[in-house]
Amino acid sequence: MKSLILSTCTRMLMPLILILSVFVFWRGHNEPGGGFIGGLLAATAFALVEKAEGLEAAKRALRFRPQSIAAFGLGCALVSGVWGGLQYGYFLKGVWPFITIDAEGNKHGLPFGSIFLFDLGVYFVVLGTVCGILFALEDVVSREADVEED
Amino acid sequence: MELLLAILAGSLVAAGSYLMMSGKTLPYLFGLTMISNAANLIIFASGRLTFGKPPLVPEHDKTIADVSNALPQALILTAIVIGFGLLVFALTLSYRSYYVLKTIEMDDMREAEPIAEGNS
Amino acid sequence: MGALAEGISVTTTQAGAGPWRLIPAAAAAAATLWFAGFVGPVSHGEIPEYVLPWVPMLGIDFAFRLDGLSLAFALLICGIGALVFLYAATYFRSDRRLGSLLLTLIAFAISMLGLTVADDAVTLFVFWEGTTVTSWLLVGFDHEREKSRAAALQALLVTGMGGLALLAGLLIMGGMAGTYRLSEMNAMGEMFRASGLYPLIFVLVMLGCFTKSAQWPFQFWLPGAMAAPTPVSAYLHSATMVKAGVYLMARLTPALGGTDLWIWTLVPVGAFTMILASVWAMRQTDLKLMLAFTTIMGLSVITMLLGVSTPEAAVAAMTFLLVHAFYKAGLFLSVGMIEKGAGSRQYPEVAGLAAAMPLTTTVIALAALSMAGAPPFFGFIGKEVIYEAAGHAPVLPLFVAGTALVANALMIGCAGMVAIRPFFFRPRRSPRDMPADPGWGLWLGPAILAALGLFCGLFPGTVDHALVAPMVHAVTGAESPAHLALWHGIGAPLILSLVTFALGGCLYLLLDPIRDRLAAAEPSLPRTEAWYDAALVGVAAIAGALTGALQNGRMTSYLRWTFLTLGALIWLALFVGHGTWPAFTLSREIMDWAIFVIIVVSIVMVLRTHSRLTAITALGGVGSGIAIIFVLYGAIDVAMTQLFVEILVVIFLAIAMVRLPPTGAMPFKVGNALVAAVLGLGVFVVQLSVLGTDLDLFMTVFFEQSSVPSALGHNIVNVILVDFRGFDTMGEISVVVIAGVASIAALRAGRRTLR
């Protein structure tokens, strides 16, 4: 049940939603947003593709196996924890190597560090898991529909 | 608003539990969702309500006070995601069980505890 | 231990075990020597202690203390243990289960040792249960036989129940004393005895002791436990496990002993069990079973003497404890020798073996003479001091002396039965054609034990000084009032001994008619075991009925019970707790009311609609309404999460729903609605009362103060998630991944079979 309108809109919307999700994720530490929300938003984008253009298209759009993405996310979170552990001796302690704080307590530099990596892990875990279940569900449902039709 | 939220939480729990007791898989999932929502509401309201002041520290400030309670928000945020995971798992299970057992009546799903001869 | 077990499992596959089988015996012998090194210091009043902190905040430690009583038990356990391990290694030489038997025996010995040297009530209890569990394994060693399993289970249940009661008693004592050290509790005897809780403590502790030491009405499990192999019976039922009960009575005598309740419970129960057990011993034809009954008799004698609560009785109890350990272990092992050598241990099946098995005959004769209390054996001294103690008994001295006399006379009959009947005065009979003495591994242990009975009788002063006096000191807290000697002069004890011999001789001569009478009367007599059986049946019936009612396999029933319990707990908390009800005014904001109405209408729609699509949409309405509440009250992150999740939920439900059949009409169920209403109303009221309490904002203020300075983030919610409570989030994303993996697995399971 492909719909031309939905399909066309999706092609335009999908990159926008993805960019929005990365943006929401990026600013999450200082403005509303973050890994959970960004990940859910990205998953919504792929769900949209899946509904509009089918399972195969969504799988192509995602490029990697969703389970691998989730595992990569969990790995990121673990690495960030170990990073803090190696640096300060506390697992998951925040490390900000590119930020310096001046005398007034204002910070300068790139907001990239172990906490950023951790949030990135959350992003990928949510994205990978939701997409994984979605694809598996759709896969099984469509196959069983075929079986019934036979 | 507190009173209204309390009424909402109570209604959600009542409706959710009623649906879960109905013994059919889909209403069961609806009920589960409602109870998850109720739990989130309860935690949120228990942290007290502050109208329209999100817990964001302004750009050049160090601290902030008298904004919404951030702690319950953090708790709920993860709870929503976990609740979603639980719901999806329950959904896949009920979907699967329908295809294996050919029923949506939960009382008829007796694989784990088959009706013993002589009793029950 | 693991490597040892591995080595054993490898070697046991071959017939005949290698020299490793002697390692346990050697280790136990070494331990015996190590403990023997303490005999000198302890007899001079030193008490070595060792403490390893365990749960310091509760005052529970691995505390060990080696006073006279503990030392004597440690020596018995290790010494007899060494002999039994040697015996078992020979007895089961070609049995591939030897490894597991030895390991279990070692575990048992360690538990028993820990029990007797522990100075901490909780440590003691842990080892106590250790003996219960390992003895269960040992009694059920022949687990292919149903009888063995039933006997093991019976022993486990009876002693396990007693163990639970004991734990309760010890905990009450610990709570009252403010310490779990037995030595400190024992110094507070006045306080315990004066307390109103004393009867409760007494009953609980005695339940533990009586079940373990097989006192009436719990005596029935011990003969059943004879299903165990002979070495196990010799170890568990002579020197060790069953003595744990009397050990604990002796150990706690300073704390709990000497009251009227103590005396009037222990003396009658001990005396009654003593007579009962020795009469039934006469009934048996299986020599091992007969020894089991005489073991109950031996334990009862000690129980009764501890009940008498005089220093003289303590001397008698401790002496008899040693006497009994030596001769009973020796006799059990000797009966095993008969069985190995002649092929049976049933009396009429084996007879006239003296010429064929001279060594066995000698060993049994020595042990049996000690059992019969013949001079100059240790048993004679044991009997003399019992009569001596009976004469000094503050209550019913005639009763104590009389019952002891009857029981001892019956013991003489039994000793004759085990030592004379299989060997003398009859033509040779045995299932085996050529009965012969077994090898050194089997006769060495019993021979040493029998010789010890003679040695201690000949040198009573040594035993008294080294063991008995320190034991008595530990029990009474005072110097031993009497000294053991073979010749006490002509007095009441000697006369009573002579009467005992005369009566015992008569009983032996009348053994066969007595046995026939008892066998005939047996079916019509009341048995406490029947109570146990009835209790088991009753428990099973109640459990069955309860399970049938609660675990009926109906999901709706489970849910109803769960929600009902939850609701009841909430209302209970409301009535018991101190709820405060704040004065709330209804909101005047039009926005609040609008959201409220949207959500309520959505709920009603989900409940009322027959269309799944409507229901899913309405569910989305509920979620979105809640998201708006979050936005209004400053939870923007939460609101965004809620909205995206709502979208995804609808997508997922829509995909799955297409394939599920329509739900169909749902009839209104009054019962379910009532349960739901009770629960919902409870949640409503609880929520109100929660809002009425003071909120501690300590954590919130901390996050507001330190989010930017220490975590460099301005969005406090996100900082909490990924930094302050990052470990939680770590767990949460792991749960999300697991839920995903489980869902995918559930979906893909059995997919191939569908094709």
Side-chain angles (χ1 to χ4, degrees), chain A residues 24 28-37 40-41 43-44 47 50-51 67 70 74 77-78 91-92 94 96 99 101 107 115 118-119 121-122 125 129-130 132-134 136-141 143-145 147-148, chain C residues 636-638 640-642 644-645 647-648 651-656 658-659 708-716 718-719 721-723 726-730 732-734 736-737 739-741 743-744 747-748 751 754-755:
Chain A
V24 163
H29 212 50
N30 297 314
E31 304 283 328
F36 280 107
I37 300 166
L40 285 169
L41 197 52
T44 318
E50 197 274 325
K51 285 277 93 180
Q67 288 95 314
L74 212 51
L78 269 177
F91 186 72
L92 275 171
W96 301 98
I99 290 187
I101 298 170
K107 55 190 181 173
I115 294 303
F118 185 79
D119 216 8
V122 173
V125 163
T129 308
V130 174
I133 304 171
L134 184 74
L137 187 65
E138 186 68 47
D139 188 37
V140 171
V141 167
R143 273 166 205 272
E144 275 159 9
V147 170
E148 275 179 5
Chain C
I636 298 172
D637 297 86
V638 181
M640 290 188 343
T641 315
Q642 171 87 18
F644 295 135
V645 162
I647 294 171
L648 288 167
I651 292 177
F652 274 88
L653 280 175
I655 295 175
V658 198
R659 293 286 139 210
V708 174
S710 54
L712 310 178
H714 291 261
N715 180 356
I716 301 176
N718 187 267
V719 169
L721 280 179
V722 296
D723 200 328
F727 210 79
D728 276 12
T729 311
M730 187 83 171
E732 277 149 1
I733 56 177
S734 311
V736 169
V737 170
V741 170
S743 301
I744 295 172
L747 282 171
R748 299 222 166 127
R751 196 176 57 175
L754 272 168
R755 286 201 161 175

Side-chain angles (χ1 to χ4, degrees), chain A residues 14-59:
Chain A
M14 151 86 182
L16 281 179
I17 301 180
L18 274 187
I19 291 168
L20 185 66
S21 91
V22 172
F23 173 68
V24 163
F25 159 71
W26 177 263
R27 63 173 213 158
H29 212 50
N30 297 314
E31 304 283 328
F36 280 107
I37 300 166
L40 285 169
L41 197 52
T44 318
F46 288 102
L48 200 60
V49 175
E50 197 274 325
K51 285 277 93 180
E53 303 194 33
L55 184 59
E56 289 311 311
K59 279 185 178 170

